[in-house]
Amino acid sequence: MHSSSRRLLATVALSTVVAVVGTACSSGAGSTDAKDADSGTYTIWDPYPQFAKGSAWTKLLDKCGTQAGVKIQRTGFDTSDLANKTLLAAQQGNSPDVLIVDNPVVSTLAEAGVLTTTDDNKLDTSKVDPNLLAAGQSGGKTYGTPIGANTLALYYNKEVLKEAGVDIASVKDWKSLTAALAKVEKAGKKGITFSAIGTEEGSFQFLPWFWGSGAQLTELDSDEAVSALSLWQDWLKKGYAPNSVINNTQTTSWQEFAGGDYAFAENGTWQLAGAEKAGFEYGVLPIPGSDGGNAAAPTGGEFVTLPVQDDTGRYTTSQKLATCLTSTQNLYDTDTTLSYVAPTSEVQNKQVAANPALKAWVDAVKAAKGRTSGDLGTKYPKISEQLWKAVQSALSGSKSPEDALTSAQAAAE
């Protein structure tokens, strides 16, 4: 694509990117330096500013560079900052050689003409789980490969459930989960906490229940969708979930659970370290579908992508760098560091062999799907905004679930 076209499309995409990033990410800052095309230096941008020079991550980047015969110039950005910097760099014809970016942003950057396809760049994605790869697909083309995935599941406090007489093996669907919450509440403890805040985090946390009902994002007002929102509303009405969920972020809802009084918390793999420090025995259960089985939860995590370059001769080396970063051993090491589930069954099996407690997370990731999957692409942010607004309306009591979702569907269209 010509750089003038890229400039135009990248400008259009700027407003879309901000809405879909930052669901489960770290903060920090970075600075950009122009790359010298003739110096044997290749630029890599990533959303891991927490990893400073000398960390295992930066050592891996340097190792992959050495194997490819080039030097690496790496910059770590805050996730939302990275998306915007990437679009601006594309306008200026100064994109990084390798870009590691939050998965919902991939389709936006692809539609803006910023990324090469795997057909163009020859990245091998054959071992990647199809449900995870789908987050990086748009218009029938694939625009990168996942470096790892995180998702949502239910953490549970074993002691609280024991005191309430709840056998976790009995929790298999919405009916049995609600029955467990009733027992917990009767025993004088607290039921379940989650994030229903009016941002992307609220949509992210509602989606497992939405998808677990059988609902589709193209039909927000379906009977299935209404049943999911009614479930959450009923939990608040009965006191099984606190009113604070309306304002809870994933961090504040986790803090509620870590206090030790809640039976369940919906949260992600990124809380594993916090769970170990919580001071009570915990377990993890994939979020159940309405009638049983594992609900599809949304995937978090990043894709390794190769942005469009005016100098197409750079792609061969960039492909070597991306292939190195996503090799079996390097995926295993990276995903252990990031508390991610790997995107391939081969590495997932290695993770579970090393830590059997990860099995519930691997099961959750295998059932998960990308928020932009099904070719939603840049339509997703608008749909998501209407979804979180509907959740807020229903949980605050200002609208019934039916009315809230009817309004959401009309606005999304």
Side-chain angles (χ1 to χ4, degrees):
M1 175 174 285
H2 296 297
S3 44
S4 59
S5 303
R6 285 211 308 278
R7 269 199 296 278
L8 175 62
L9 286 167
T11 304
V12 171
L14 261 170
S15 59
T16 307
V17 142
V18 181
V20 296
V21 296
T23 307
C25 39
S26 308
S27 62
S31 63
T32 60
D33 293 305
K35 61 175 179 274
D36 183 343
D38 302 318
S39 68
T41 297
Y42 277 65
T43 51
I44 296 180
W45 292 2
D46 67 53
Y48 313 130
Q50 70 271 31
F51 298 130
K53 193 166 180 61
S55 65
W57 171 247
T58 60
K59 285 178 181 175
L60 172 61
L61 298 180
D62 289 338
K63 183 178 84 171
C64 289
T66 300
Q67 288 177 7
V70 297
K71 289 182 179 177
I72 298 301
Q73 184 176 302
R74 173 259 180 176
T75 311
F77 293 93
D78 172 77
T79 294
S80 55
D81 200 27
L82 175 58
N84 293 327
K85 286 284 199 305
T86 299
L87 286 163
L88 290 170
Q91 292 174 350
Q92 296 158 1
N94 191 33
S95 293
D97 293 291
V98 178
L99 172 70
I100 301 164
V101 67
D102 198 20
N103 77 70
V105 182
V106 174
S107 58
T108 299
L109 295 179
E111 288 180 37
V114 175
L115 304 178
T116 60
T117 71
T118 52
D119 287 338
D120 295 333
N121 60 43
K122 310 305 178 196
L123 265 180
D124 180 10
T125 60
S126 60
K127 292 183 179 178
V128 178
D129 287 354
N131 66 313
L132 300 181
L133 192 62
Q137 293 173 328
S138 178
K141 296 183 182 297
T142 304
Y143 289 89
T145 188
I147 201 164
N150 54 34
T151 194
L152 297 166
L154 294 178
Y155 287 87
Y156 59 88
N157 184 319
K158 293 184 177 181
E159 188 61 34
V160 170
L161 292 182
K162 185 179 177 183
E163 287 178 21
V166 173
D167 177 6
I168 192 63
S170 70
V171 178
K172 295 179 176 177
D173 52 22
W174 291 2
K175 185 178 179 181
S176 54
L177 175 58
T178 302
L181 296 176
K183 279 187 174 183
V184 168
E185 201 256 347
K186 192 174 180 182
K189 291 290 188 178
K190 296 175 181 178
I192 186 168
T193 179
F194 48 87
S195 168
I197 193 169
T199 68
E200 176 60 22
E201 280 190 80
S203 292
F204 189 73
Q205 290 241 318
F206 183 58
L207 278 173
W209 312 95
F210 182 87
W211 282 332
S213 72
Q216 302 293 324
L217 285 171
T218 49
E219 193 179 348
L220 297 180
D221 56 351
S222 67
D223 291 344
E224 292 84 0
V226 171
S227 73
L229 190 47
S230 298
L231 179 76
W232 270 20
Q233 187 189 64
D234 289 346
W235 284 351
L236 262 69
K237 284 180 178 176
K238 292 174 180 173
Y240 300 163
N243 286 325
S244 58
V245 299
I246 295 173
N247 297 311
N248 269 349
T249 63
Q250 294 178 108
T251 300
T252 55
S253 69
W254 178 258
Q255 289 165 349
E256 289 178 337
F257 178 69
D261 291 330
Y262 280 88
F264 294 95
E266 180 185 356
N267 228 297
T269 38
W270 53 92
Q271 301 292 7
L272 279 168
E276 295 296 336
K277 298 173 187 170
F280 53 80
E281 277 197 78
Y282 75 94
V284 176
L285 180 76
I287 295 169
S290 59
D291 298 322
N294 296 340
T299 53
E302 290 78 41
F303 266 62
V304 181
T305 68
L306 304 186
V308 172
Q309 304 293 338
D310 290 332
D311 178 3
T312 57
R314 301 183 70 87
Y315 295 148
T316 301
T317 299
S318 298
Q319 189 262 10
K320 288 179 184 175
L321 294 172
T323 299
C324 175
L325 291 174
T326 54
S327 71
T328 296
Q329 187 58 48
N330 289 338
L331 277 178
Y332 177 75
D333 293 341
T334 299
D335 291 337
T336 300
T337 300
L338 293 171
S339 291
Y340 278 0
V341 171
T344 69
S345 294
E346 182 183 9
V347 185
Q348 290 165 4
N349 292 339
K350 285 184 69 171
Q351 289 181 302
V352 173
N355 181 5
L358 284 176
K359 184 173 188 316
W361 287 110
V362 169
D363 290 345
V365 163
K366 282 192 174 296
K369 65 180 178 179
R371 285 163 274 175
T372 58
S373 296
D375 250 3
L376 281 182
T378 52
K379 297 173 192 165
Y380 173 75
K382 188 173 184 181
I383 294 169
S384 175
E385 182 179 359
Q386 298 311 318
L387 190 60
W388 83 56
K389 285 180 176 177
V391 170
Q392 288 268 302
S393 295
L395 298 193
S396 66
S398 66
K399 286 185 179 178
S400 69
E402 293 92 339
D403 290 346
L405 289 166
T406 298
S407 298
Q409 179 61 25
E413 289 173 347

